[in-house]
Amino acid sequence: RTTRPPPIPHPPTTDRRALAMPLAFGFSELFTPSAVAAAVSGGALLGCSVLFKTGVLSGVLGVSTYTRRLMVQAELKRYVFTLGMMLAGLVMSFAYGGIEPHPPAFFSGEQRTELFVRVGVGAFFVGLGSTMQHGCTSGHGLTGLARLSIRSWVAVPTFMAAGIVTASLTEAAKSFPPDAQTEADVPEWYIGAALAAGLAAVLACLAAVCRCAERRNDETTLQVTTLLGEFVVGLTFGCGLVISGMARPSKVASFLDVAHGAWDVSLAFVMGGALLITFPYFQAVEGFGMQDKAFLHASSFDLPPTAGKMPDRRLVLGAICFGIGWGLCGVCPGPLWVNVGGSHSLEALLALVGMLAGIGANEALDKLLDPHAAVAGKTAKEVDGDGQTRSLMGTGVEVKSENRCST
């Protein structure tokens, strides 16, 4: 690559010290038709990943749950899926760009320190909040909204509002300025379409192999093919995050910080592009009563009921914590794994440590506030995003289920 050009300057209105009013509103020069097309294309690729994970491999794609289970329950498929996301970041950073270098080279020592504190604290709240609310932008956003889950329809607006308020008040766009070379290297929308078509063919072949292995009771082939499917789904999901712009903290900061004078609305189209895939898919599956019927490799869709699962204080509090963290650091669990694989920066590693610390803090808090579990060895349970059960705080109730989604 050539020498990296200087950062893209914000419009003059973003210098708040020169303004009569403390806030400035306006659209970013990066909010272009091509950026919207890339966001829709990347979002559709994310939707395809959710579709294949649910229908081919059985289970719901929830990155925050996979991340938490990496800490408490070693299972090979979770490591393989995460490796796929990291490899997507690595490949896309070398082939097309789209992974930002942080901190920017022109930052002073004081600015770098402030950025590291911001990233560490923000990632901690991301891990804490995603665990408390049993989901993040993937579980609640891509799956829960498409299934018309009332819990997700409460969680998503709550963490969006918390993220916008936090990013605007803390001037997130100043901490994460857009990088000119990265913006120039962003993959075009048709790359997402080509990847979706190619990976769909690969997953269809894997599903057919799994189906044949099931009929022949070939457990070895079935396990190997299932792991390959997890890897491809993780790779697809990671590529979708890069193409859509979700893996760039500057893009997220410009989207959430609505008061810095250069608002980039293109990320709103990521969710729209994903829901164009997931909404008709889940509505067709559940509307025609297909949850318990075989689809390719999956013996059933393994979806939990959405009726009767009402929002509670824990969900709202978790969504607020998640939104605060997202507004501070500009990444959530999925994009963070992609950045760890593709950016090779200290900032990404610090964010990963902070997120894992937040997840661990929630687990410790659950045990601390549930004395019955410590004394009697019994604890209430709730289904989380991957079909496992987890402790509740002092409910004295046990719920058993094989469902794989918290939404």
Side-chain angles (χ1 to χ4, degrees):
R1 291 183 181 176
T2 59
T3 304
R4 186 173 295 277
I8 298 175
H10 285 301
T13 54
T14 58
D15 186 2
R16 298 179 184 173
R17 292 172 294 181
L19 295 173
M21 298 295 291
L23 300 179
F25 297 95
F27 290 101
S28 170
E29 62 184 24
L30 300 177
F31 179 43
T32 61
S34 61
V36 172
V40 174
S41 176
L45 198 56
L46 298 177
C48 290
S49 304
V50 173
L51 184 151
F52 291 125
K53 169 62 178 173
T54 305
V56 178
L57 301 174
S58 183
V60 175
L61 197 159
V63 181
S64 61
T65 299
Y66 264 47
T67 302
R68 185 174 68 84
R69 287 293 167 183
L70 289 176
M71 300 175 61
V72 300
Q73 182 179 357
E75 190 170 350
L76 186 57
K77 70 173 185 178
R78 298 185 177 93
Y79 292 102
V80 170
F81 176 86
T82 305
L83 179 63
M85 287 195 298
M86 295 175 63
L87 184 61
L90 180 63
V91 171
M92 295 295 281
S93 66
F94 278 105
Y96 301 105
I99 302 295
E100 291 175 322
H102 275 105
F106 62 88
F107 266 24
S108 65
E110 182 180 352
Q111 288 175 310
R112 289 170 181 260
T113 302
E114 180 183 349
L115 178 64
F116 287 142
V117 172
R118 184 187 188 100
V119 167
V121 173
F124 177 86
F125 277 99
V126 165
L128 178 67
S130 62
T131 310
M132 291 182 67
Q133 69 173 345
H134 304 293
C136 55
T137 52
S138 57
H140 282 301
L142 305 185
T143 301
L145 294 184
R147 299 187 63 219
L148 302 180
S149 165
I150 188 172
R151 287 177 59 86
S152 294
W153 278 94
V154 169
V156 173
T158 300
F159 69 64
M160 286 296 298
I164 289 173
V165 171
T166 301
S168 299
L169 292 179
T170 62
E171 299 181 321
K174 288 187 176 181
S175 297
F176 301 100
D179 180 74
Q181 184 67 52
T182 302
E183 295 295 335
D185 291 341
V186 169
E188 297 290 343
W189 67 270
Y190 53 80
I191 295 178
L195 282 172
L199 294 173
V202 172
L203 287 168
C205 293
L206 291 175
V209 173
C210 285
R211 198 69 168 169
C212 294
E214 280 184 333
R215 292 176 178 175
R216 294 182 301 174
N217 293 323
D218 188 347
E219 290 295 333
T220 301
T221 302
L222 184 61
Q223 291 176 2
V224 172
T225 310
T226 300
L227 289 177
L228 285 175
E230 291 280 353
F231 176 78
V232 175
V233 169
L235 184 67
T236 307
F237 195 78
C239 290
L241 291 173
V242 175
I243 294 171
S244 67
M246 286 290 293
R248 303 205 299 280
S250 70
K251 196 80 168 175
V252 177
S254 296
F255 171 61
L256 294 178
D257 186 354
V258 300
H260 74 288
W263 187 26
D264 188 352
V265 198
S266 56
L267 284 192
F269 294 88
V270 178
M271 187 70 72
L275 290 177
L276 286 175
I277 304 295
T278 59
F279 181 80
Y281 169 70
F282 283 114
Q283 292 304 308
V285 167
E286 299 185 294
F288 291 100
M290 299 167 58
Q291 297 96 316
D292 299 325
K293 296 181 181 180
F295 178 73
L296 295 179
H297 161 52
S299 57
S300 70
F301 285 92
D302 205 6
L303 298 175
T306 56
K309 300 186 69 175
M310 302 302 293
D312 51 25
R313 287 178 295 178
R314 183 184 181 89
L315 175 77
V316 175
L317 181 59
I320 293 174
C321 290
F322 178 82
I324 291 173
W326 196 29
L328 285 174
C329 66
V331 291
C332 51
L336 178 52
W337 284 114
V338 172
N339 274 278
V340 169
S343 69
H344 313 294
S345 66
L346 180 61
E347 178 194 21
L349 295 177
L350 176 63
L352 178 61
V353 173
M355 182 180 67
L356 296 179
I359 294 174
N362 181 77
E363 298 295 323
L365 185 63
D366 277 355
K367 296 178 180 179
L368 179 64
L369 297 180
D370 191 358
H372 298 290
V375 175
K378 297 180 180 180
T379 181
K381 303 289 182 179
E382 182 182 19
V383 179
D384 71 4
D386 193 38
Q388 306 295 333
T389 54
R390 70 187 313 279
S391 61
L392 288 174
M393 295 185 293
T395 59
V397 179
E398 183 163 330
V399 180
K400 295 181 179 180
S401 175
E402 296 297 328
N403 295 325
R404 301 197 177 194
C405 180
S406 62
T407 55

